[in-house]
Amino acid sequence: MMKAARIQTPRRPVKKPSNNLKDPVGVYCRVRPLTTEDTECCVEHISNTTIQLHPPDGIKVNRNGEFKEMQCSFKEVFGAFTTQKELFNVVARPLVEDLIHGKNGLLFTYGVTGSGKTHTMTGSPGDGGLLPRCLDMIFCSIGPFQAKRYVFKPDDKNAMEVQGDVDALLERQKRDAQISIIPKILSSRHRMDPEFADMITVPEHCKAEGVDEDSVYSLFVSYIEIYNNYLYDLLEEMPPDPIKPKPPQSKILREDSNHNMYVAGCTEVEVKSTEEAFEVFWKGQKKRRIANTTLNRESSRSHSVFIIKLAQAPLDADGDNVLQAKDQTIVSQLSLVDLAGSERTNRTKAEGSRLREAGNINQSLMTLRTCIEVLRENQMYGTNKMVPYRDSKLTHLFKNYFDGEGKVRMIVCINPNADDYEETLLVMRFAEMTQEVEVARPVDKPICGLTPGRRYRNQAFKEELTRKLELRGGPINGEDPSIAEALLQGFVPLPSVEITDANDEQTLPHLIECLEQRNKIRHLATEEMKKTVNTIRGMLHDWDSKFTAKENYIQDQQEKLLEKNRFINGQKTETERLEKKIKTLEYKIEILQKTANIYEEDKRTLQQELDERDQKLHREQSDKRRLEQRMQGVMTDTKMKWEKECERRVQAKQLEMQNKLWVKDEKLKQLKAIVSEARTERPEKPERPPREKEKKVHVRSASPPSVPFPGNTVASLPISQHCPVSGPQLHRRSNSCSTISVASCISEWEQKTPEWNKNGSALPKNKHSLLETPQVRGFNFRERRQGVNKLGGCKIDGCRREVGVDQDGPRRNAPPVRLLHRRSRSAGGERWVDHKPVGSVETDTVLQPHIPNAITVAVPNEKALAKCDKYILTHQELASDGEIETKLIKGEVYKTRGGGQAVQFTDIEKLKQEPPTSTRKRRSSQSAPPQQEETTESEWTDVETRCSVAVEMRAGSNLGPGYQHHAQPKRRKP
Ligand code: ADP
Ligand code: MG
């Protein structure tokens, strides 16, 4: 028989899954609770996913420790206290959801006998298992969208046909007639076996999401038993034969056009509720039990396969009828498999034929293991070994789940009893292996191209139509039972058709007449109906066109709306862009404002600075003007001074020249005289050989003196001038002195001045020369010999010849005279000669010289000097710093022996203005010798200064013994 099956279903190229996504077989573990008789537990629950097997003590002893501890992991482990509901939610629910969405699924329980496979799959009384729960969930989900019975009609090629409403109705009537013959197997719930009735009482119903409302659904169930590698249809109806009951006929496997395997000729019962489905199942279950009893089979040796097939077809465009298109019909199936016990044959003491059966059962599970192994190998190592699906009906039936696509889940049931240890170990190894096999994930079925929401639209339309027809008055719908009734009421009642007499000629003609009348009415009604149908069709078309127009309008409006939306979006984007721009510009403005403020601030600062500089400039300009004015004043002064100087020098030169001229004249005269004397009185004067010089002096004294030197020239005068003697004495002395030129006197004095300075200390030895004491300086005024100095106001002779006088003194035996008389102060206070030369500038100093009781003169004269005993000269000069320095040169007036006046300088007071920042004073420190100071202070002077500025001496100066300024003797004309 097996061979035959192989021949009948030759291998075909396997249809490859349409996607590459694969999921491993989901392997879950359920550990049942220990029974009261069980003593030892060999299973330890380690975690949610792992359990551990402990070998019982006895086994260790017997097998020499061959068995070890073993851990095994699953997708999830459910313990003894797991409820059916919990298990369902995790394991079966996703499969049901897949089924409703047109995807296939396979769920099987695996384990040794008594481990709880049936408890898990079917459930126990009062505690429904996965099967009733799956059915409940399916009906809860598709309930309102179920097709009328017989709309879907399974063909014998594992496909589903969709029938029209009329055909379905006819089918229904046919089946109903059959039911009247065969006692109803589908009964209401109250007739259900109370043993399992509460197994389908599910307290909480659950529902799948995403059920297509525009489709109709129908559920078909089939129940197959695989025993000894034979397939039996547990739902097959066979008329009971009380005489000789037929043994159940085995079924064969076929492959449909989609390469799915199916049991050919298997009963598929369309069920409309959970109760109905479960009743069908229970019927099969009962049949199975009976068969097992009658054929002396052990139920644990068979595999039971409960197939739930869900057919789904979309409603047509009107949403009124089911679309009769095979390609639009989706059929998905969920197979719930309660496998036979996985234990080995020796476990149950089977004998004879039963042993063979057990071997076969075992064989199918062995094949399952082999298939899983090969699949795993092929997937893991990329090999292409042939999977021996065909070696057993079980594997062959589910081949497509592993080769094609679908979701496969296995619940490994474990009895923790130590007696089952060895078998449990094998179960666990199989479970481990199965987890490594991957199955292609089922893809979503394409949705038909019809608009969604057809069903409710059609319903709404129907309601509206009914309402309108009612308003028009008259039922029209042929299908409506009320209309049919109305029609039937219009028929003439049938007369009695009972023929009592063979000659009865009235009954039949009457019946014929009646039937004819009825036929006429029927024709009329049909006509009427046709008309109505046409009217309705027209209305429908009308409605349809209106609806299309409306739809078009709506689409149009929607397009417009979209357009508007796009426009609005565009505007929004533009607005956002502009807002951003505004923000950027605002920011820029802010920055510019700040910059402007900074510039404004800068401008203010610069303006302020400018103003300050302007003011400074003004100040500087005014300072400059003032300085200019001062400089101009100074320049004018200097210019005047130099003009005077030049004039003075010219005069000096003139004088010198005149002197030379005079000397020559004198010489000439003397020569003349000598010549004339020699001629007249040469022998009369032999006493003393006249010395040339004396002669000259004499001659000179006889002749008018040369023009006196200008005051600013330190002129050398004849010795007689230095001697405070009277005029005749001078003359006499002059005679005794050799005649010398004024110029030579000056040069001599200049050369000797340093010596005087040096030898000043030695000079006082000469007691005759009172004049030459360092303290005494001055000049003599003599009658008839007045010198006018424009600046100094006096003629100053620095005369070294005095030394010569003193030296000559003893030689000439002149008596020592007191050179200077001091005027008696008791005579009545001090009187001053205030000598202010012409051109003196008024100083604007705060300190002003105030001399009481003074005779102010521009040029000192003898008359004034005679009256006073003090002399003061206001001398001004330009200091090197450009300031005018006023010196008050003080002196005392003495009467000379010759009756003239002599001034001895005693003191100098300085009056000077200078800027406070000047450092000049500091530079001329006290330690510096006055001589040096003088030199530094007025470089430009030197000889000229010494000549032009009278004589400047300070008290205590070691410049030398005082210079006597003699009043310039009036030039006597020769
Ligand atoms: P199997 O089908 O594997 O041979 P069964 O489902 O028939 O095993 O279980 C044997 C016994 O154990 C039954 O009486 C069942 O009620 C009980 N049983 C099994 N699993 C459980 C469980 N998880 N909880 C309670 N009782 C269980
Ligand atoms: Mg069982």
Side-chain angles (χ1 to χ4, degrees):
M1 184 123 186
M2 273 178 77
K3 274 182 186 171
R6 271 184 204 172
I7 293 159
Q8 277 175 356
T9 54
R11 287 191 73 213
R12 287 192 210 173
V14 177
K15 187 194 155 200
K16 287 282 157 213
S18 49
N19 65 332
N20 293 325
L21 291 170
K22 284 189 162 192
D23 293 314
V25 174
V27 181
Y28 299 84
C29 175
R30 189 184 200 188
V31 184
R32 60 157 288 181
L34 277 172
T35 55
T36 42
E37 301 110 55
D38 294 328
T39 46
E40 203 182 343
C41 175
C42 67
V43 177
E44 193 190 343
H45 201 128
I46 287 179
S47 72
N48 268 356
T49 54
T50 312
I51 56 162
Q52 184 159 18
L53 271 187
H54 300 287
D57 296 335
I59 283 174
K60 271 182 200 167
V61 174
N62 294 340
R63 304 276 174 145
N64 299 321
E66 193 189 307
F67 294 90
K68 292 180 275 180
E69 309 258 315
M70 190 208 179
Q71 269 194 12
C72 191
S73 290
F74 300 89
K75 207 166 179 189
E76 199 167 333
V77 174
F78 300 95
F81 305 106
T82 308
T83 62
Q84 302 278 46
K85 191 194 163 203
E86 280 165 16
L87 190 78
F88 169 78
N89 281 338
V90 176
V91 184
R93 199 178 163 146
L95 291 171
V96 174
E97 271 166 2
D98 274 7
L99 178 81
I100 288 165
H101 293 107
K103 297 168 191 174
N104 297 337
L106 168 67
L107 173 65
F108 56 93
T109 50
Y110 187 91
V112 294
T113 303
S115 61
K117 298 186 294 296
T118 307
H119 175 78
T120 300
M121 195 55 85
T122 313
S124 301
D127 194 10
L130 301 178
L131 193 146
R133 284 170 196 273
C134 284
L135 290 170
D136 185 66
M137 182 177 169
I138 293 164
F139 283 113
C140 279
S141 307
I142 64 164
F145 315 116
Q146 285 197 67
K148 279 177 184 153
R149 210 181 288 270
Y150 307 123
V151 167
F152 289 98
K153 191 186 176 191
D155 63 1
D156 54 355
K157 291 176 184 106
N158 201 30
M160 209 58 88
E161 277 177 2
V162 181
Q163 297 190 117
D165 279 351
V166 179
D167 291 333
L169 187 70
L170 284 171
E171 186 94 13
R172 274 203 298 275
Q173 284 170 355
K174 198 176 110 188
R175 295 291 169 117
D176 285 348
Q178 278 176 0
I179 286 163
S180 60
I181 301 162
I182 306 158
K184 258 191 180 179
I185 54 158
L186 303 170
S187 58
S188 59
R189 217 186 136 188
H190 67 269
R191 282 204 230 154
M192 207 185 262
D193 192 344
E195 191 190 336
F196 59 85
D198 55 355
M199 279 167 72
I200 52 165
T201 314
V202 183
E204 320 89 12
H205 301 281
C206 54
K207 216 172 156 182
E209 296 293 316
V211 179
D212 184 10
E213 292 169 346
D214 291 314
S215 289
V216 287
Y217 297 86
S218 261
L219 199 72
F220 294 84
V221 293
S222 36
Y223 195 12
I224 294 154
E225 185 183 35
I226 302 172
Y227 185 85
N228 201 16
N229 210 26
Y230 287 105
L231 293 162
Y232 298 101
D233 181 2
L234 292 175
L235 299 182
E236 197 174 28
E237 289 290 343
M238 276 190 293
D241 195 342
I243 306 146
K244 195 190 173 196
K246 271 188 193 171
Q249 294 294 303
S250 69
K251 303 283 177 188
I252 57 162
L253 280 175
R254 282 209 180 128
E255 192 175 14
D256 67 4
S257 55
N258 293 319
H259 307 287
N260 290 321
M261 299 310 294
Y262 70 97
V263 181
C266 176
T267 312
E268 288 175 296
V269 182
E270 189 179 11
V271 285
K272 292 290 163 196
S273 68
T274 315
E275 291 82 7
E276 199 185 328
F278 201 75
E279 219 172 287
V280 171
F281 167 75
W282 208 247
K283 189 193 136 202
Q285 194 74 353
K286 260 185 183 169
K287 201 176 170 186
R288 191 183 164 198
R289 265 185 219 166
I290 292 164
N292 285 341
T293 324
T294 39
L295 300 170
N296 193 20
R297 298 194 312 210
E298 207 175 311
S299 68
S300 65
R301 301 271 174 251
S302 67
H303 314 289
S304 76
V305 181
F306 190 75
I307 298 168
I308 301 166
K309 201 180 255 185
L310 185 70
Q312 177 188 353
L315 288 171
D316 61 6
D318 294 339
D320 200 6
N321 296 312
V322 183
L323 199 71
Q324 291 182 47
K326 247 191 175 175
D327 59 327
Q328 295 282 359
T329 309
I330 299 165
V331 180
S332 53
Q333 73 174 47
L334 173 64
S335 303
L336 304 173
V337 183
D338 185 0
L339 288 175
S342 65
E343 64 275 359
R344 285 162 296 184
T345 40
N346 63 349
R347 194 170 175 241
T348 53
K349 285 125 194 144
E351 289 160 11
S353 66
R354 286 189 67 180
L355 183 69
R356 199 179 66 246
E357 286 162 15
N360 273 332
I361 294 158
N362 218 17
Q363 187 58 47
S364 60
L365 284 179
M366 282 289 285
T367 311
L368 180 64
R369 275 182 208 149
T370 316
C371 287
I372 294 285
E373 245 171 47
V374 175
L375 269 172
R376 178 174 147 268
E377 213 179 300
N378 282 348
Q379 288 174 2
M380 284 177 91
Y381 308 111
T383 52
N384 201 14
K385 262 188 176 177
M386 200 194 80
V387 185
Y389 294 116
R390 287 153 187 266
D391 285 1
S392 81
K393 291 280 184 293
L394 179 76
T395 51
H396 200 188
L397 181 60
F398 300 118
K399 165 186 162 288
N400 189 247
Y401 284 103
F402 295 98
D403 261 1
E405 36 178 72
K407 198 176 260 182
V408 182
R409 291 191 165 185
M410 178 170 89
I411 299 170
V412 173
C413 294
I414 284 172
N415 188 350
N417 185 14
D419 295 343
D420 279 355
Y421 170 77
E422 287 179 45
E423 297 299 336
T424 308
L425 199 71
L426 293 174
V427 168
M428 299 241 286
R429 279 183 188 153
F430 173 68
E432 272 193 325
M433 196 168 63
T434 311
Q435 288 188 82
E436 289 169 2
V437 173
E438 287 186 328
V439 176
R441 189 182 295 176
V443 287
D444 290 317
K445 297 285 189 300
I447 314 156
C448 70
L450 298 165
T451 45
R454 303 186 295 282
R455 183 190 290 274
Y456 291 115
R457 215 168 52 221
N458 185 52
Q459 270 178 13
F461 170 72
K462 265 185 184 168
E463 278 163 21
E464 179 70 9
L465 187 70
T466 317
R467 202 172 54 81
K468 285 206 168 173
L469 286 171
E470 272 168 7
L471 282 173
R472 279 172 66 178
I476 15 154
N477 192 349
E479 288 244 312
D480 201 319
S482 59
I483 296 168
E485 270 170 32
L487 278 169
L488 284 170
Q489 275 166 15
F491 286 167
V492 180
L494 281 176
S496 165
V497 288
E498 201 176 326
I499 302 169
T500 47
D501 188 4
N503 299 322
D504 190 354
E505 284 178 1
Q506 276 189 346
T507 312
L508 278 175
H510 189 62
L511 181 67
I512 289 164
E513 196 188 335
C514 230
L515 285 172
E516 272 174 354
Q517 267 184 8
R518 278 196 166 205
N519 200 26
K520 214 185 269 176
I521 292 166
R522 192 172 159 266
H523 273 294
L524 279 171
T526 314
E527 287 295 308
E528 181 68 24
M529 206 167 105
K530 270 181 187 165
K531 262 189 224 166
T532 319
V533 164
N534 281 340
T535 320
I536 288 167
R537 194 159 285 157
M539 275 171 72
L540 276 172
H541 275 293
D542 214 32
W543 277 89
D544 209 37
S545 56
K546 271 185 189 170
F547 181 73
T548 320
K550 284 256 158 72
E551 241 177 11
N552 284 344
Y553 178 74
I554 285 166
Q555 210 159 349
D556 206 40
Q557 291 297 313
Q558 267 173 348
E559 270 168 25
K560 275 183 185 169
L561 196 72
L562 276 177
E563 192 68 33
K564 284 260 149 65
N565 270 345
R566 270 199 292 274
F567 180 71
I568 287 166
N569 281 346
Q571 291 291 314
K572 264 185 195 167
T573 324
E574 181 66 13
T575 313
E576 273 170 22
R577 197 181 62 78
L578 288 173
E579 270 173 6
K580 267 183 200 166
K581 206 173 168 183
I582 286 168
K583 266 183 196 165
T584 319
L585 287 174
E586 272 175 357
Y587 182 66
K588 272 184 186 168
I589 287 169
E590 205 177 306
I591 288 171
L592 286 174
Q593 197 76 44
K594 277 180 188 168
T595 319
N597 284 347
I598 291 166
Y599 281 140
E600 205 75 43
E601 190 70 28
D602 278 4
K603 194 186 145 194
R604 268 202 295 277
T605 320
L606 287 172
Q607 192 66 45
Q608 220 170 330
E609 213 169 295
L610 196 72
D611 289 349
E612 275 172 18
R613 289 205 176 167
D614 255 0
Q615 282 175 5
K616 204 174 164 188
L617 195 73
H618 277 301
R619 267 203 311 276
E620 274 172 3
Q621 270 174 351
S622 63
D623 278 0
K624 199 175 142 195
R625 265 199 301 278
R626 228 172 47 221
L627 198 73
E628 257 174 23
Q629 280 169 358
R630 211 160 72 184
M631 287 311 286
Q632 234 154 10
V634 169
M635 256 166 65
T636 321
D637 283 355
T638 317
K639 200 176 150 192
M640 270 168 65
K641 201 166 150 185
W642 276 105
E643 273 172 1
K644 283 171 196 167
E645 175 71 16
C646 288
E647 209 174 306
R648 189 170 47 76
R649 284 188 187 181
V650 168
Q651 280 179 0
K653 208 71 191 169
Q654 275 176 352
L655 273 173
E656 196 186 335
M657 296 314 287
Q658 275 174 1
N659 271 338
K660 278 179 182 170
L661 203 66
W662 177 76
V663 167
K664 278 179 183 169
D665 268 0
E666 280 299 295
K667 274 179 184 174
L668 220 65
K669 276 177 189 169
Q670 277 175 5
L671 273 172
K672 223 183 205 171
I674 289 162
V675 170
S676 59
E677 249 176 60
R679 241 185 261 152
T680 52
E681 2 167 13
R682 189 175 284 177
E684 285 173 7
K685 281 190 181 175
E687 312 106 30
R688 194 175 58 140
R691 276 196 287 180
E692 203 60 29
K693 271 184 189 174
E694 277 176 352
K695 278 179 190 167
K696 275 178 187 171
V697 172
H698 183 74
V699 169
R700 193 186 147 199
S701 63
S703 62
S706 63
V707 178
F709 287 108
N712 59 350
T713 306
V714 181
S716 169
L717 294 175
I719 293 160
S720 59
Q721 284 179 346
H722 300 285
C723 305
V725 289
S726 59
Q729 279 174 332
L730 175 71
H731 283 287
R732 270 196 302 273
R733 208 153 56 97
S734 299
N735 289 342
S736 64
C737 298
S738 63
T739 314
I740 43 165
S741 74
V742 177
S744 61
C745 278
I746 292 166
S747 61
E748 265 177 60
W749 171 70
E750 277 177 354
Q751 283 162 13
K752 289 204 178 161
T753 309
E755 280 171 40
W756 277 110
N757 292 342
K758 286 175 202 163
N759 304 325
S761 55
L763 285 170
K765 282 189 280 183
N766 192 344
K767 48 189 175 192
H768 305 292
S769 152
L770 186 65
L771 253 175
E772 272 101 44
T773 53
Q775 293 83 10
V776 182
R777 291 152 294 213
F779 56 87
N780 293 345
F781 278 86
R782 230 188 249 171
E783 287 168 59
R784 300 181 309 273
R785 287 198 179 187
Q786 280 182 320
V788 177
N789 183 320
K790 278 185 185 168
L791 181 69
C794 60
K795 289 180 181 167
I796 302 158
D797 297 334
C799 184
R800 303 285 82 80
R801 297 307 293 180
E802 276 182 357
V803 179
V805 171
D806 295 333
Q807 281 166 350
D808 291 348
R811 232 188 314 149
R812 282 183 275 131
N813 295 319
V817 286
R818 194 177 175 265
L819 289 173
L820 300 169
H821 291 269
R822 237 202 102 111
R823 213 167 285 202
S824 167
R825 277 189 194 166
S826 59
E830 289 176 336
R831 274 206 91 178
W832 289 84
V833 175
D834 185 8
H835 179 184
K836 274 195 181 142
V838 182
S840 289
V841 184
E842 277 299 320
T843 58
D844 52 354
T845 53
V846 178
L847 292 170
Q848 289 285 339
H850 171 69
I851 310 156
N853 213 9
I855 302 166
T856 306
V857 290
V859 179
N861 49 32
E862 215 173 327
K863 195 178 158 191
L865 283 168
K867 287 178 187 166
C868 303
D869 51 356
K870 293 272 187 183
Y871 170 87
I872 188 159
L873 168 67
T874 305
H875 172 71
Q876 286 180 325
E877 62 183 3
L878 199 66
S880 58
D881 58 0
E883 296 288 341
I884 293 172
E885 189 179 69
T886 306
K887 288 178 181 174
L888 302 174
I889 303 162
K890 295 193 283 183
E892 287 190 7
V893 182
Y894 293 97
K895 284 194 190 334
T896 57
R897 260 193 312 204
Q901 310 293 329
V903 174
Q904 271 188 333
F905 294 126
T906 54
D907 220 351
I908 299 173
E909 286 179 20
K910 274 187 189 173
L911 206 58
K912 191 184 168 186
Q913 260 182 309
E914 59 185 25
T917 48
S918 172
T919 51
R920 198 163 285 277
K921 271 263 148 60
R922 208 170 297 142
R923 193 155 61 87
S924 56
S925 57
Q926 294 90 334
S927 59
Q931 200 179 359
Q932 274 178 10
E933 185 183 310
E934 232 162 78
T935 322
T936 23
E937 275 190 12
S938 47
E939 279 167 21
W940 63 272
T941 48
D942 200 37
V943 178
E944 290 95 325
T945 317
R946 273 175 276 155
C947 297
S948 65
V949 186
V951 177
E952 299 174 21
M953 292 288 264
R954 290 202 186 111
S957 167
N958 57 354
L959 189 64
Y963 307 121
Q964 287 188 345
H965 293 244
H966 296 268
Q968 190 72 31
K970 274 182 188 167
R971 190 182 167 182
R972 265 194 252 153
K973 286 199 178 147

